[in-house]
Every structure is written in structure tokens, then in C-alpha cells.
């Protein structure tokens, strides 16, 4: 297969192509095919952008219909029919049934733009520059969100200091430390030296740090802490949202309402670029045009986005995910754990991590390669990349799910 | 027409919809239609994202074909056929004929992501934190690019300091000041107090500041200044690139080669989200994955992007633009200037500004409204928004171009 | 007494005069006298600047002799006889006997200037911008040292962000958290989000946070942690140095050697302004004049400073302090603690804190006033100023020490 | 002479001792003597700290008397007799006669502490983080004032970014640019990208940049500019104040009243460490203790400071300075300028610069050495240190002044 073009012309920054060194051609739901005709089961799902699978017929048809209708494609933030339909559907079928009242901001169509907008708004509303984020977090790669992001390689790419963020230990890091009480102390102690934040930014299921669904009780205490100190709670639901956790929003299981929510990835339906910031109406102090972006008005993304929401609702994706979660959990517990006492696992819904941090050496790199060879696409996350992330499309057929898990088992056996 | 959904559910940050308060439905080349069936000539062109017009048949067909083929839509930065074809075409038909040797980075698919990546890379390469940008510049809304951006409203949205940028007077601001000599002094004087920059970021045609094509000689001296001081030259060609200035890149007319170029907007063909960073191969010190983004791999954008490039090449858009530039220039000179001695104008290619800054009061706001009423979409830029920006699709039919200009004249007459 | 001048002409920023509202005239060792002839026992000692008492005859005579000799008073950092004698004595009688090898830098003659110089040097040597400091710390009021300082009022005076410092919980704050392991994790975890520091700055006896002598073992582990990670250890010994802790340097008891030490307050002998930065010779990468200050060459301060060192050595102040420490400790334990079960105390050498944080209301404010009325000068520190700080001159006569303690007891009884 | 102690024990940061490599012993008015008995005429005057000469009898006597009286030496910011007398005298004889109404803040006793306090207060009052300073400025070496300082070596010592300052070209740098109009534009233009400052900090006579007395009209326009934009004007009068310019304050000649004034150096009378911040009463929003410093209460400095003020008043130093200024100016014009057409000079009062920037090579370094050899102490300032600074004590005898100038002439002749 011919990859010379990429090697000659594309920047060294390219990344996933190194783990999966082939040229992909077509894809359908959880199956990807390459130029050699080889098929792969996709346990990566576009890092969460493909919750409804590759190229779902329903969404593809909507896109083609819209293209064929002459519907306007690009229109910045002017009013259009697809945007109205998206907003109405989102309000009626997602927000209202959950008792959520948010206004919707369309930032530039990437997750990092949503995080930037959320944090800018929080600082503007509260008049404070500092923000708390959690160790292990990933929130994006532009300067404002990179300041929140924790992995060393990303931070070293900044080439400058990343100010105005205090990183708080994630609750799993020092089990003896009550991290809610810790933050409470930081904001109460007149000698903490830590500036009171405008907001606390949290991924209810922390992904990049190694797949850590945060406890319901901890999330509830976090919400109460923010209330106590007049600090905004921002939920970054970019990776774990859109049904991935078993609910539409990954914070639903805690029964809490964040002040601001960032949404992206699968909100675009089939990998179309789209991002939302959801904000409580009373926080909507933006001046017109104070956060803009050329592609915040791609109508195909809105068309596909609405079709994705319809998929979620009509296929009862949340119910499906909970059912499939049990399949994965049982397989990991009964088939994978027994392979080696050093293996661990964690997860929720259809986002799971198999933890190899107790091993010496770069086990997961070999494992990703073995999976790829055996026809499974899965990537690494976590400290020193020691966790294999399992994140298939939520719509994956049970048979393929089980087949992918079997490949995983076989691959682990090969490398151990 | 029903705009209640937007008013109820969309954030106050929405902007263009306030100048053009209608709901758009379909569009074709330079014509947009709203729900009431009214047609508008588009002199805005998606802020430069629609150089090849709304919904061009050639590109739409490519998109539909790809969607129907089952081609993979989303794949992060894995290797795919559309990406290979895009890169090959871009290299062969855009870069090589211009003697340019760049590697291509795909950041998140918005202009601001491209600027963030460019500036991060410059800082990383040079090991310096400061960057020079020009007063009047617009480079984006995320924290790293917002630090470069100059307009007050945008900056006030940050809620924090925007460090590590020194703003240099644009050459038109203080005609008595040689801005190249000024920057030379800043970098030579051991008491300037201004830290040597990693890069100087310039829009060869400054748009948001009021449509200012920078002189060829000034651009050449800027290039020489960067060489003298070992500073990188970053051309932000997001708005004025893709043929807008009459060449593919807006710096071509100066015969200079920037070290890094940011490209977005019309590179997506028909308003599809896409952005590129072009970097000299020797600057490609990125580590794999050191700047990422979920939607840097939307294949529809690459399909549409390649089709857009084909359009540029095959329709000889550059030649067309130069021809149409003469039409606009002549109209402004002979039909608009005589309307009032306080009116001025500037421009190049198909990006022009009609300057009303010599007037009292908010003339341009009334003018935008009058144009809209009369069926012309055009927006304001510049200091106090005192400049009306004319930026039709490059593919606009001559008749529509003249008709739009006539509406402009009529609208000015109405408001004066 | 007439304080109108101060009220009319001096800024509201004045502080201690509010706790001790009288006009002082003369003072001798541990006794201060005011315009009304009333005497006060000094348990404050110029916040540690008067370890050898007010106006010690030996030092006063040296000053008068020097003034009468025509000796140069001011000379920036030119070479002078008093500076040579100070350096030689400091080397021979302080550094060498303790096995310490440092070069001496004279920054501007205040503690904060010393901290600024120390931290600048650390950043310059290591090429890293971040620095760790501990919650509860006080390191000064200029922007670089204020960033390390933790009390809220001081920080709110900055009017800007205070970047490049990560505050670490002091070991007493969360007993369940091993703070050395915590810092180790911050520097080891590739997802901590905390930038590796150039240095860790520590007061071996943290004063402002509420009088906390840090454990010997903890200090030793801190030293080892710095070695492990190639991070400099900076001991700020401004308040607890010069014999205050029972040794000349407050880190001696731990047997550790910091990389940089800041010294001020009593190094000026009798309250003369002087400050030193001690740095390991291999760290001396300063360029000539890269950190300057007009008054780094006040010869009276050097004359008084040497006389102070002679006092320390010849009067075996360290032995004296340890003896008197036992007196204070016993009194607090047997006479003060029994007064109320909510009272606590901590300390070392002749720096002690009586802790009233378990009380409701502003007990310590009343206590300071009662002490003042009864003829004792003592100030408050700690969280919410809830700790009374006892810090008499090290040379205080035993009788006065006991008398002062008795006044303390009586005053507590009065206010409870 | 023995300098081994310094070479072995003092940090490389030592600076002036390199230009004047001898060990000084005694000094009187404008004469310094070294260990070899050689005498030097002092045209340096402690960088402005010795305006009333070395060891003036009147001040020395006051110091000895106070020391012998048992007067309290150190007392933080408690009320004392010397402080009251200093304040009363300063008010009655300096402020009131000039129609100035200021409150006095005593920061730590160095110039940089005064600048830090001034800028902190300005930011706190105005709620803005940015501050304007001028290229060529020197304001100190701690982080907040170093951000204002412009010389490269000093800035490179910071080891971190120096945020929140915009450097404005000094008026002499680009004669074609109206710098007041430039700043006005920065604050008026909604696309300048430069954040509105809390204050503009100016040395009315810029010293370190090369001795530039700013025009009276320019200073008046600067004052008006600050009024127009609600920006505070901070005059840093540390080097050129205390009579150096021919008035007590160097801004008096312009008839303007700054909002805040920083004073240090000769305010200490005879080189005693002292610094003041003068602030308009309505700006005195400090909370008690919000900017502190241990040595802000050295009574010897206040005693010497008052004696220095008495000297200024009773000896009519301002009249004297103006008389002597004419001597210097005439000598430079008639004796120095004719030596070489490349020589230039500038100055006011008794602060003058002889400019060698038109020469190749390091002429001034040789000149300083030649002067030293010939018995004259003078230092270099300005770009590339190309300006010889002449700054004798204001009390220098006419004969010594002429003798020093003659040595200067002879030394220039030797090196040319």
C-alpha cells in the first residue's frame, strides 16, 4: 500500500496512522476496510466521534438529500432551517426530557473551541482568571484549553507558559485524600496561595488519564462545592457524552446539573465537525460576536447532527449501551482478568480501559500492534499510555462486539 | 418568518443573524434565498469560505458520490484515499508550480486552530515566547490566537490576560513611521524592553482592520527583516487566500516565501470545515500527536477541498479574479466615490472595503440594513466597523456582480 | 500622644501601628519605651530583625566608631573594607564551621529582594519557569516573591495574576497526605499537568502560616526529592534564621544543605537593612550587574552585620536559645494550656505560636490589645490571624522573658 | 590591595567593582579614598544616592547623636519620633511649598520596592493589569519593576516572562513619531490590540537609556493624555529626584502633578536605605498591611533622611545645582565637543551624558578605565553603554567639579 504521499507531504505531527499503518477506504458501522481489502473491527470510534457508527444509512441519506435539495451549506451564524430544526429537536428530545434548561452556543466546530468558549465565558461571568482542572484531564490543544490539559507531550508543545489553571489531584490518585475537602480548603484557607477559580472543569468520565468514571457521590459533592463557593461547574462531555456512558450526558447518572457543558464529537452525527456549548440562560452574557468562528455554521453538520440525535432517541441508544456494557464488563472480568494478575480494568457504558500499568515495559504498544494485525482497531490512553481503551460504536452489532473482544483476548495472549 | 427558536435557544453570542434577520433556505453561487422566497446577492461569501460560490455543482456531486460510495467519513489522522488525493493534488497543482516546498499539517478544522498550531510550532522551534502581530489583525478567538487578535470586543471576551504578543502598528496607521525600521529597532536596541519574537504573524491583506492590502515592497522588507533576525514569518492567509487576492496565496504578488502559512475557509471547497498549516520541512519538529484534534480527519472536507482546488486550477480563478477586480475598482472609483467626498475605498482581487470613517455616526450599520433590504448581503469591518466589506464569491457572474454593486450604490444614496 | 501626623500624612497601608497605637522613643534589648514613658516587653523583635535586641551596645559602638572614622557609607557594590571584613567573618565563623560552601550575593537590602534574586537565579540555571512553594508561606511583597506568598490580602494587592508558582499543601494541612510523595507524583506523572519546577522554596520554620517548624525527616526527604528530580532547594531563612530556631540556620537541625539560602532581618545586626543570597558556587551563573540595587552597599549595615555575627558567635546565642526555648515551652505547657482546652501551641527555639483557632470570634485581636495594655508587644499570624506569635529578642534577660510570659497569661485570662 | 575575599566569596553578579577595581576606605563629599591612599573625584555619587555628598558632617552628627541617645533603631511601621519629624518636615518644606498634596507610603527601603508598590496600587485602583513604560527605562530588578525595565541583560535574568507591560518608544527614538499621539491612538483605536493601562510610568529624566531629560511640553501632554483616558501618571523620580535635576522633583519644571511618585536614593540623606511612594490621597485604597517590608522602619534612615531634606532646603541646593549645571554645560560644549565631531552630550541639572554612540568599538569602557586611572569615578549608561554618565554630588566644590571635568577631557584625549 502506498503511504509515500503522507510520509513526504504530511507533518510529523500525524499520529494515529502510526498505530494503524494502512490506508482506509470504506467503513460501515463498526467495520473499517483498507486498500488491501482487509477488514478491521473498530473499537476506537473516532475517539468518540462515531457513536452511531461509520456511515450510518439514515444519516448519509439525510446528507445526500440535503445536498441534492440545494440547501445552503455554509452560512456562518445566520439563521437557517437546519439550525432551527437541530435546536428544536435538541431542546425537545434531549434537554427538556432531562429537565435541563440551557442556551446553545455554536463555537468553532471542534471540541477545543467549545472548551475555550466555556472557560472564557466563565472568567467573564465571574471576573476571576483562575480555573481548576483535574490531573489526568484532556480538554484540547489550543492555548486556553491546553492550559487545562495535563499530558506532558501536549503541554510541551505550547512553547509558552500556560497560566491561570490550578490542577487538582483526580480522586483516584491519592485515595487517602478527600479531593472535595481539599478544594474546599483551597478556597477557604486565607493562606492557600491558590486564587479562587471562576470554574471547575471536569470530565465526568475522565478518558485520557486512563478511563476513570468518577463516582456519583463525588460528582454530587463537586456540584455542592461549586454552589458553596459561587464557582461555575463546567462538564466537558466531549468524549463521554452523546450516549457513550449509557446516558446522553455522562453526568446524568449523578443527577447533577452543570452550569456549562461542552459537547462535540458524536454531536456531529457521523463524524461531521460540530461543537456546542450549553450554558444556563443566566450566564449568557456574551456580546454579539464576542466568540466567533467561520465554520460554526456548516449546515451539513447540523443536518447530520439532528439525524444523530434522532438515532439516539429512536434507537434508544442509552438502553442499548447499558445492555452492551454488561457484555463488555463480563468479558473483561471473566476472560481478560484471568490472563494475568497484573491486568486491571475500569469503565462504564461503552468506554472501558484495560490497565497494564503494573507491567514492565511498553506492553500496550505491542498490544495495539497485535490487535491491528488481528483486525482490531484500539488505542492507548493513560499514564505512560498504559491503558488500552475500548470504545466501539454504540451501535456495534453484538456479534462484532464479541468478536472484537475475542481478538483482544487473543492479542493479549500473543504478547504476554 | 419564525426566528423564535433562535431567540429562545441560541446564545446571545450569535452575530451575523442580527445584520441579516431572516431564515435562509437555499443558495447557489452568489445567490441566497430565504424562507419568504426573497433572493439576496452575496457579497459576504461566508467571510471568505465560499470563494467558489454556494453549493457548486462540481463539488456537490463529488460529495454525493463519496457519500454514496461508502467511503469512510471520519478517521482522525489515519491514512485515507481522500487525504492522499488532496495532498497529491495540492502539492502538484498549488505548491510545486509556485516553487513552494511545504509540509502540510491538518489541525482542527478551523482557522483559529491553524493559527494556534502555527504559533505553537514557531515558539517551539525558536525557544522564544514572544510573537509580533499587527494592530488591526484578526487571527482567531481561542486563547493563543486571540492574543494576536486586536479588536477590543473579542479581547474583552477573554476574561484573562493575553500574554506573549507585541502588537506593532500596521504600516497604514502612522505613515510617518517606517514600521520595518521600527521592528528592526525593537530587535536591535538593547533597551527596547521588547522581547525578541519567535515569529512575526501577518495577514498580507489585513481584512478585519479595514481591508488593507500591504505593499509588495513592505512585505519584501518584512521577509528580509525576519531573515536578518532569525525570526519566522507566518502568513495568515485564512481570509485572503484561496484566490481571493487574485493569486492562490495573497503573498505571491510580493514574491516572498513565508516560513509557515495558515490556510482555512475556502480550502474546504464549499464551506466544509478544513484548515491547513503549511510549514517549511526543516521546521517540522512536531512530535507525533503533539497537536491533535478530532475533526482533522473529516473526509468530506478533503473531498470537497480537492474539488475546490480543481475548480481554482481548471477555471483559472486567479485570472478571473483579476479581471473582476477591475470591474469593482472602476465602479467604486466612478460610481461610489462621487457620491460623497468623505467616502474612500481600498482593496485587491475580490476583497474591497468602502471606507466611511470620515462620517459622523453609525453610517455603515444603516448601510448594511439598506443593502439587506435591497437584496445585498455585505458586512462591516474596520475601526468602529466603519468599512463596508465587499467580498463576493470569486465565481460570481459578471451580471450579478454589477447588480450587487448597483444595489450598493442605491443603498448608499438612500442613507446619505 | 500625638499621632495626627501619621494619620494625616502616612498611607493607610501602615499596619503594626494599629496594634500598638503609641509613639515609641527609645529601646534597649527587650524593652521599648513610648512618649508617655510607658515600657513594653518586646515579644515581636522587629519580626525577627532584632534577634540581638534593640540597640545593643556592642553594635552601636561599632556604628558610631565607623561614622566617626570617616569610613565610606555608601558605595553600591564596590569593594570596601567593611564588606571584606563581613565576608571574611561570615565565611570563617558561620559557613566554614558548618561545612557550608556558598558564594554570597548582596541583593537590595530587604528580604523580598533576596527571594526575588534567588528565584530568578533558579529559573535561569534550570531553564524552567515554574517554582513550588508551600501553602502558608510568606516570601515577600514584590511581584516575584508575592507569587510565592500565600496570604489572601497580600495577593489581592497585586492587581495582576501571579504566574509560575504551584502551591503545595504544607505537611501539617492534610496529615493523611504524604506531601513529599505528592510532589514526587507531580513530577513523575506524565499527566499531572503541573510543570516541573526550577526550585522548591521552603521556610524550614513556616512563620506566617502559624508557626510550624517542619519535621527533620520531612526536610531530609524534601532535599532528597530535589536531588532526585534535579530541582533546586531554596531555603528562605529570613525570619527563622540568624539563630532564631536555636541554630544559626533553621535547616541545620535537619543536616541538609539547601542549594540557595535567603538571609535578611537580623543579618543587619540591629535592624540595619541588609540581605544576602547564599548560593552554591556552581550555581553562580549571574552575569555582572544582572541583579542590582542601589542600597546593596550600605557599609553601616555591613559593620552592624558583622558585629551581629560576632555577637552570635561570642555569646553562643545558639546555646542560649535552646536553653530559653525550654523555659517558654514549659510555661506554655504548664501555665497557658491549662487555661482553656481550646488553646494549642507550637514552636522551636524562640519562635512560638499560641493557637486560638479553635475559638469563635476574633480572640487574638483582643489578646494583642490586652497584652499591649499590660505592657507586652506581640503580634498575630496564621490562618485568620488566629495564632499569637511569641518572638522575643534572643538576648532577652530571663527575668524579662518570664515577666513577658506572665503578662501573656494574665492577658489571656482577661479576655477569656 | 587585597581583593581575594571578594573574588572567592562574592557572587559574579558584582558589577561596579569591576570598573573601579580597588578597595575604598573613606570618603568626604566628592572625594573617595582607597586602601593605597589614592583619591578619586566622584562623578557617580552612588548612582544618585549621594546628592549631598559622602559622609556630610551635618547628617553624620545627627546619626551619631541619635545612636547615642538610645533612640529606637528598628520598629517596622510603628509610630516613632523620627518618622513623625521626617513626615512633618517633608510635608512642610517639600510638599506644601510646591502645592503638592500626597500621602506617604514607606515600602521596603529600595527603589524597586517603591516601584512595585506604586504599580500594584495603580492596578488595584484602576482594575486594569497593563501598564505603559518607555523604551530605555530602568525601574528596578524585582519581577514587577523588572517588567518595566528595558535593558536586555537585566530582562534575561528574569528566567520567566515579564507580563502586563507595553513598552512605548521614548520620544527621542523616532523623532518623526509623535509618541503622545501614538499612545492616544493605542487607547482610542478599537483594533490596537493593546490593553488600556492602569498607569503610565515615566522617568522625567530618563537615565539608564542614556540621559534624556524629557521635554516640558511632552511631559505636559503626557499628563493631559493620562487625564483624558483616566490613566494614572506615575513619575519614577528615584534617580533624577532629590534635587538632581535642579528642582527637588524632576517633574517640577513641567508644572505637572503626577498621581504617584516614587522616591528613593538620596532621600536617605547619605546613602541610608529609604524609599517613599507618594500618592494622591484619593488613591490611598491600600488595606492595612497590604504592602509591607521589614526595613520600612529603619529610624537611622529617617533621621538621615530628614537631615538630607534640611540640607536641601537650607543650602538651597536647587539654586546651586542650576548654577553648577551651567558650568558643566559650558565645559562640555566648549572643551569636550571640539575634541571629536562624533561626540554628543545631553543633560540637565547635575546629570549629564557624554554620548559616544557614533564611535566604533567599546570606547566608553576604555574611557571609564582611563578616568579611573586619572582619579575620576564615572560610569556608563545608554544603548550599548555608549554614554558616559556625569553625576557628581550636588554639593561638590566648584574646584573639584572643574578638576573632574578636566580629568574627563584628559582621559578622552588619551583614548582617542
Amino acid at each position: 500500500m502506498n503511504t509515500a504521499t503522507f510520509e513526504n507531504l504530511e507533518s510529523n505531527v500525524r499520529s494515529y496512522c502510526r498505530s494503524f499503518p494502512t490506508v482506509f477506504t470504506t467503513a460501515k458501522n463498526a467495520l473499517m476496510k483498507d486498500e488491501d481489502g482487509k477488514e478491521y473491527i473498530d473499537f476506537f470510534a473516532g475517539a468518540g466521534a462515531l457513536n452511531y457508527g461509520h456511515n450510518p444509512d439514515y444519516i448519509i441519506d439525510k446528507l445526500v438529500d440535503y445536498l441534492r435539495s440545494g440547501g445552503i451549506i455554509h452560512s456562518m451564524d445566520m439563521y437557517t432551517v437546519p439550525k432551527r430544526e437541530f435546536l428544536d429537536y435538541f431542546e425537545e428530545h434531549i434537554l427538556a426530557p432531562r429537565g435541563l434548561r440551557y442556551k446553545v452556543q455554536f463555537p468553532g466546530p471542534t471540541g477545543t473551541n467549545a472548551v475555550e468558549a466555556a472557560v472564557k465565558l466563565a472568567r467573564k461571568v465571574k471576573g476571576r482568571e483562575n480555573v481548576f482542572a483535574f490531573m489526568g484531564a484532556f480538554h484540547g490543544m489550543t492555548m486556553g484549553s491546553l492550559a487545562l490539559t495535563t499530558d506532558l507531550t501536549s503541554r510541551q508543545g505550547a512553547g509558552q507558559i500556560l497560566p491561570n489553571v490550578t490542577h487538582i489531584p483526580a480522586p483516584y490518585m491519592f485515595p487517602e485524600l478527600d479531593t472535595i475537602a481539599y478544594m474546599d480548603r483551597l478556597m477557604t484557607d486565607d493562606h492557600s496561595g491558590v486564587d479562587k477559580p471562576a470554574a471547575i472543569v471536569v470530565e465526568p468520565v475522565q478518558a485520557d488519564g486512563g478511563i476513570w468514571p468518577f463516582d456519583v457521590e463525588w460528582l454530587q459533592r463537586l456540584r455542592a462545592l461549586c454552589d458553596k463557593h459561587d464557582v461555575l461547574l463546567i462538564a466537558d462531555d466531549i468524549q463521554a457524552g452523546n450516549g457513550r456512558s449509557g446516558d446522553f450526558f455522562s453526568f446524568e447518572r449523578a443527577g447533577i446539573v452543570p452550569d456549562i457543558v461542552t459537547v462535540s464529537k458524536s454531536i456531529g452525527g457521523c463524524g461531521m465537525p460540530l461543537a456546542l456549548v450549553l450554558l444556563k440562560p443566566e450566564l449568557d452574557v456574551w456580546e454579539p460576536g464576542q466568540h466567533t468562528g467561520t465554520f460554526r455554521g456548516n449546515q451539513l453538520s447540523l443536518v447530520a447532527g439532528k439525524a444523530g440525535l434522532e438515532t439516539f432517541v429512536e434507537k434508544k441508544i442509552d438502553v442499548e449501551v447499558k445492555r452492551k456494557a454488561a457484555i463488555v464488563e463480563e468479558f473483561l472480568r471473566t476472560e481478560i482478568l484471568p490472563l494475568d494478575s497484573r491486568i486491571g480494568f475500569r469503565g462504564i457504558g461503552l468506554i472501558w480501559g484495560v490497565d497494564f500499568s503494573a507491567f514492565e515495559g511498553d506492553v500496550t504498544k505491542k498490544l495495539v500492534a497485535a490487535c491491528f494485525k488481528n483486525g482490531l482497531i484500539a488505542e492507548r490512553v493513560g499514564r505512560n499510555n498504559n491503558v488500552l481503551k475500548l470504545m466501539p460504536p454504540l451501535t456495534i452489532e453484538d456479534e462484532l462486539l464479541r468478536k472484537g473482544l475475542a481478538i483482544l483476548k487473543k492479542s493479549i495472549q500473543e504478547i504476554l
Side-chain angles (χ1 to χ4, degrees), chain A:
Chain A
M1 126 202 20
N2 182 3
T3 60
T5 290
F6 308 107
E7 281 143 27
N8 292 336
L9 295 181
E10 193 175 359
S11 162
N12 291 327
V13 80
R14 68 195 188 280
S15 165
Y16 290 112
C17 52
R18 299 172 194 267
S19 296
F20 314 116
T22 188
V23 179
F24 292 98
T25 53
T26 59
K28 197 72 196 174
N29 202 9
L31 272 183
M32 300 166 72
K33 194 179 287 188
D34 72 10
E35 280 192 320
D36 296 332
K38 182 175 170 183
E39 286 190 340
Y40 303 85
I41 299 172
D42 185 2
F43 269 28
F44 178 57
L50 296 168
N51 283 3
Y52 313 127
H54 288 272
N55 299 32
D57 288 341
Y58 180 74
I59 302 179
I60 298 295
D61 287 348
K62 292 281 183 187
L63 286 173
V64 171
D65 289 350
Y66 189 76
L67 284 166
R68 283 296 175 223
S69 75
I72 192 167
I73 292 179
H74 180 87
S75 57
M76 308 293 284
D77 66 357
M78 300 180 205
Y79 297 147
T80 62
V81 176
K83 196 203 270 189
R84 187 169 57 201
E85 294 182 347
F86 177 88
L87 284 169
D88 284 339
Y89 194 90
F90 188 68
E91 165 68 13
E92 184 176 352
H93 295 279
I94 303 295
L95 296 182
R98 289 165 178 78
L100 300 171
R101 263 181 48 73
Y102 289 123
K103 293 188 83 171
V104 178
Q105 175 181 2
F106 297 93
T110 73
T112 193
N113 295 44
V115 172
E116 294 264 347
V119 173
K120 282 165 67 171
L121 183 66
R123 289 182 170 126
K124 184 177 158 75
V125 166
K126 291 298 175 195
R128 305 179 203 130
E129 298 191 41
N130 199 23
V131 164
F132 286 180
F134 292 96
M135 298 182 192
F138 181 92
H139 296 289
M141 287 294 218
T142 50
M143 214 52 81
S145 50
L146 184 54
L148 302 162
T149 290
T150 56
D151 86 271
L152 194 59
T153 303
S154 297
R155 292 179 70 84
Q156 286 176 337
Q160 65 163 67
I161 63 155
L162 296 163
N164 292 325
V165 176
T166 300
H167 282 98
I168 305 295
Y172 56 81
M173 287 173 64
F174 301 92
E176 69 277 19
L177 182 70
D178 179 338
T179 49
I180 302 294
Y182 176 77
M183 288 184 279
D184 189 39
R185 173 85 186 246
L186 294 189
M187 292 188 270
T188 307
D189 187 340
D190 66 352
H191 280 69
S192 76
V194 174
D195 298 325
K196 186 170 174 177
I200 301 177
V201 187
V202 67
E203 301 159 283
V205 180
Q206 190 186 80
D208 192 57
I211 314 298
W212 300 92
F214 290 152
D215 283 352
V216 160
E217 188 211 344
W218 185 88
L219 289 168
Q220 291 165 342
R221 291 179 64 214
L222 182 65
R223 174 70 271 182
L225 179 78
C226 288
D227 290 341
K228 173 181 174 188
H229 291 287
D230 184 32
V231 164
L232 297 180
L233 179 60
I234 301 178
D236 181 342
D237 220 17
I238 292 171
Q239 184 153 178
N242 292 293
R244 175 61 58 186
S245 74
D247 297 307
F248 188 82
F249 296 112
S250 71
F251 52 81
E252 288 178 49
R253 62 199 163 91
I256 62 170
V257 180
D259 299 294
I260 303 178
V261 184
T262 57
V263 181
S264 187
K265 295 200 191 263
S266 285
I267 196 69
C270 60
M272 295 299 292
L274 187 62
L276 314 181
V277 180
L278 311 180
L279 44 126
K280 288 187 175 169
E282 62 269 29
L283 303 178
D284 192 17
V285 301
W286 285 117
E287 295 188 39
Q290 200 165 31
H291 185 88
T292 64
T294 294
F295 294 121
R296 67 197 188 281
N298 181 275
Q299 304 303 314
L300 292 185
S301 295
L302 291 163
V303 167
K306 172 166 175 266
L309 295 175
E310 291 170 337
T311 303
F312 178 85
V313 169
E314 288 164 20
K315 292 200 172 172
K316 297 193 197 319
I317 293 285
D318 46 355
V319 177
E320 273 295 280
V321 168
K322 283 167 183 141
R323 187 181 62 77
K324 289 172 184 169
I327 296 174
V328 176
E329 194 278 340
E330 190 194 0
F331 189 90
L332 293 176
R333 184 165 40 77
T334 61
E335 300 288 329
I336 300 295
L337 274 200
L339 296 178
D340 192 297
S341 64
R342 291 167 293 181
I343 297 177
F345 75 94
R346 296 175 297 275
I348 188 171
L350 279 178
I351 178 168
W352 292 83
V354 186
D355 191 326
F356 293 85
S357 55
F359 287 76
E360 300 284 316
D362 204 351
V363 170
T364 53
K365 187 169 186 181
K366 285 182 212 141
L367 180 56
V368 165
C371 287
F372 178 70
K373 180 180 61 73
N374 293 327
L376 181 71
I377 301 287
E379 252 299 351
R380 306 184 293 161
V381 292
R383 270 61 177 200
N384 302 310
N385 279 324
N386 262 324
V387 175
L388 193 80
K389 179 167 79 167
L390 309 181
M391 204 160 72
L394 309 182
T395 52
I396 189 170
E397 299 83 356
D398 284 13
E399 185 194 334
L400 272 187
L401 178 61
R402 293 185 193 280
K403 190 168 165 194
L405 291 168
I407 294 176
L408 170 66
K409 179 177 177 184
K410 176 184 164 202
S411 303
I412 293 174
Q413 289 172 316
E414 284 176 16
I415 61 144
L416 289 185

